[in-house]
Amino acid sequence: LWAPFYNIFDTSFPFPFVQVVVVTDAASNDEILRISDFCHAKNIAFVAADTFGLYGYIFSDFGTGFKVYDRTGEPAKNGFIELISYVR
């Protein structure tokens, strides 16, 4: 089901057919939290993602039954961009 313009809070939203809601370019964190809480309560998978230049994020909530198994046990890797330059 491709529903890019549905309002999930509208009573006509087709819940029995929805397995995941993906939010990008959200207006605010409050909007993301409201949609996330709503989906969590209805056991609908939820993904929020956005980018801001070099920075980006992805948040996912696939419900309480979703398990993540880390086979290597490696710690998460982080990086810091110290300098960006343009050379002709």
Side-chain angles (χ1 to χ4, degrees):
L1 174 66
W2 174 248
F5 300 109
Y6 269 113
N7 176 353
I8 67 168
F9 301 105
D10 185 344
T11 56
S12 66
F13 189 75
F15 284 110
F17 305 105
V18 175
Q19 295 177 336
V20 63
V21 171
V22 178
V23 174
T24 61
D25 199 26
S28 68
N29 286 341
D30 290 337
E31 181 183 27
I32 292 170
L33 288 173
R34 183 171 78 120
I35 296 169
S36 174
D37 290 344
F38 184 83
C39 290
H40 190 82
K42 296 200 175 288
N43 201 29
I44 297 171
F46 175 77
V47 177
D50 212 339
T51 59
F52 311 97
L54 295 173
Y55 169 76
Y57 72 89
I58 295 177
F59 170 80
S60 60
D61 177 359
F62 295 115
T64 57
F66 186 76
K67 304 288 184 221
V68 176
Y69 299 98
D70 182 0
R71 294 178 188 215
T72 63
E74 293 181 24
K77 296 180 181 176
N78 295 311
F80 180 75
I81 298 171
E82 187 174 319
L83 175 70
I84 298 175
S85 63
Y86 176 75
V87 178
R88 285 189 167 188

